[in-house]
């Protein structure tokens, strides 16, 4: 795993952690799209990796199912999780230092951005995902 990939994974975790601590979002909204768009993961690989990051141990059976089908990148799980822990701390500190109305506005803006994505960008995302599923694209390296 090269330094650029490690840095991208740590940044994804940091951003997801900050948003998680700040407004209670992060996993499916930040990590999955980031793994798909920035690292070229398939939707299944991104979902399985996100589950590994966020749901251990409560989602262990779901993670195990994705792992059995080789849809979890364990290198990414641990690096993004590290960034997420640090980002969650930073985001929660920021949220606790801001007035409640400001935090609510930040959350509302995030919801608007997500709604915009769902309304106008999902068709393109589905086309890219369909292409990635049918194309012979090498998967992320797997741990044993």
């Amino acid at each position: 795993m090269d330094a650029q990939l490690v840095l991208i994974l740590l940044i994804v975790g940091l951003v997801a952690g900050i948003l998680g601590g700040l407004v209670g979002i992060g996993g499916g909204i930040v990590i999955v799209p980031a793994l798909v768009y920035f690292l070229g993961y398939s939707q299944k690989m991104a979902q399985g990796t996100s589950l590994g990051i966020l749901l251990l141990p409560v989602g262990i059976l779901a993670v195990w199912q994705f792992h059995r089908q080789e849809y979890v990148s364990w290198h990414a799980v641990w690096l993004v999780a590290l960034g997420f822990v640090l980002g969650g701390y930073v985001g929660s500190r920021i949220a606790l230092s801001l007035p409640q109305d400001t935090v609510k506005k930040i959350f509302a803006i995030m919801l608007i951005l997500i709604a915009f994505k769902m309304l106008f960008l999902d068709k393109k995302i589905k086309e890219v995902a369909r292409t990635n599923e049918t194309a012979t694209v090498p998967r992320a390296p797997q741990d044993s």
Side-chain angles (χ1 to χ4, degrees), residues 2-3 6 10 16 20 32 43 45 51 56 58 60 62 64 79 82 86 93 118-119 122 130 133 141:
D2 67 353
V6 169
L10 287 171
V32 171
Q43 183 68 28
M45 179 65 77
L51 286 170
L56 290 174
V58 295
I60 189 71
W64 179 248
L79 289 169
L82 174 62
L86 296 173
R93 295 284 305 236
M118 292 175 72
L119 287 170
D122 273 359
R130 197 174 308 119
E133 282 294 318

Side-chain angles (χ1 to χ4, degrees), residues 61-109:
L61 296 178
V63 173
W64 179 248
Q65 291 302 312
F66 276 88
H67 170 76
R68 288 180 48 208
Q69 298 293 317
E70 298 181 352
Y71 284 114
V72 177
S73 171
W74 290 106
H75 294 294
V77 166
W78 298 116
L79 289 169
V80 175
L82 174 62
F84 197 96
V85 167
L86 296 173
Y89 174 77
V90 171
S92 64
R93 295 284 305 236
I94 293 169
L96 293 172
S97 71
L98 296 173
Q100 183 160 309
D101 286 345
T102 302
V103 176
K104 287 171 94 174
K105 287 176 184 174
I106 292 169
F107 184 74
I109 290 168

Side-chain angles (χ1 to χ4, degrees), residues 125-139:
I125 292 169
K126 288 178 187 173
E127 290 170 5
V128 169
R130 197 174 308 119
T131 302
N132 284 344
E133 282 294 318
T134 58
T136 309
V137 179
R139 291 195 212 179

